[in-house]
Amino acid sequence: MDTLAHVLEAPLWEIAERFSGALDVYIPHSALVIFTKECTGRPQKKAGDESIISYVTIGELEQLRTRLPLTGLWRGSHRLGGAERPVIAWMATTGALLVLTGPQVDEDHAGRMSVVDAMWQMVAMRIQQQVAAAPPSYLRESRAASSERARVTAEMTDAHATTLETVLAVLRSGNLDDARARRTATDLAAAAMVRLRTAGDLDRSLGEEPVGNAFARLRDDLRPLMRFGDVEIQLVEPPTDGRALPGEVAHAARAVVRAAVLGMAEQPGVRRVRTQWDCDGSSLLMNIRDDGPGALTAESLTVMQLRSRIHALNGQLTVQVTQGWGSELQVTLPLDPPAPTLNEIVKWGLAERELEVLKHIAAGQRNRSIAKSLGISENTVKFHTRNLFRKMGAASRAEAAALAHAAGL
């Protein structure tokens, strides 16, 4: 139980590493991958063999998801990380996917599988709770890890380039007549276009959320309170044609409104709470106000907790109190990361090549991909990575990426 507690108390960016260590006692494995669509920016959480986890794609995980039953496990061979591998996979009741590659099981595997399944259900629930609560640490990591979208884009670019090279090879081939070459090239291009559109749709669904959809989810979150509470909750719909919200902003907005509404509703004398969203193209603007005695001030615990979440995304919170008439919160959440803070980057003292490597790390790339992009060896990438970690004071790739994004890199 202590081991499971160690996993459940982990921040999201460490949960895969801790969970892999906990499961290794029951089912030794080469790599662990968790796939959670609701987790903004970093839908994949991975631990284990770098030669596997560096090349796992969202498309491969989506294909594996379709093979799983709604409950229980699936065991077999599946293409993951660019190669066919033996895997065991579980689907949690939350919709999250757990995959173990190269599992080693013995005659007592049935009992071990049931233990792993029970542990996974609890871990998946904890992930869902962390995402819903949107604490400042999650929001910072989520904004930094939005570069997972860059990774998906890189996957699409590589696939597209390969298709184009294949089409050119077909058209240049001396072994095919014109009709066969055109037919083959057309089939290749059509299949690639379907894959590209599918990956593009998935990329958008993981990285951003239409403002109308985000507000509808907020309405669903507050529905029980609206139905059974004594306080009237008024929700003013945002314009439906506003800019889509980055996932971490949508999560933060819902968490802030939920907490603010609950804090206001707990005050004596409050009969009505009104919240309104708008989007000016660069920021999400939120207004939350009550008709109570004006007891919710800038020094209130609820407001201080909200402020830390808002500041995690470089947002602003203004509190206006009118005694006897109520409290009003005005929140501004920028949709884009802050502009580069050159002083912070200069302070790290990175060499030119180290800065280039850091940019690729911040974009979610792994060592082999960085080496290919920069035309250097993987060992050289590892050398630069160790040096830049030391200079930045970072303990992991996730922390280095977070620092880089915080500096606007």
Side-chain angles (χ1 to χ4, degrees), residues 291-331:
D291 63 351
L296 195 69
T297 68
E299 290 71 37
S300 301
L301 178 60
T302 297
V303 175
M304 289 191 290
Q305 291 173 337
L306 293 179
R307 195 182 300 280
S308 63
R309 284 175 174 164
I310 294 164
H311 284 179
L313 295 180
N314 305 102
Q316 296 180 341
L317 169 65
T318 302
V319 183
Q320 295 181 350
V321 177
T322 305
Q323 295 299 325
W325 290 90
S327 302
E328 181 176 2
L329 308 182
Q330 295 179 342
V331 180

Side-chain angles (χ1 to χ4, degrees), residues 88-112:
I88 299 179
W90 288 261
M91 187 77 78
T93 55
T94 64
L97 175 68
L98 169 67
V99 186
L100 300 181
T101 66
Q104 300 176 31
V105 294
D106 53 26
E107 63 278 359
D108 188 33
H109 72 273
R112 293 171 182 262

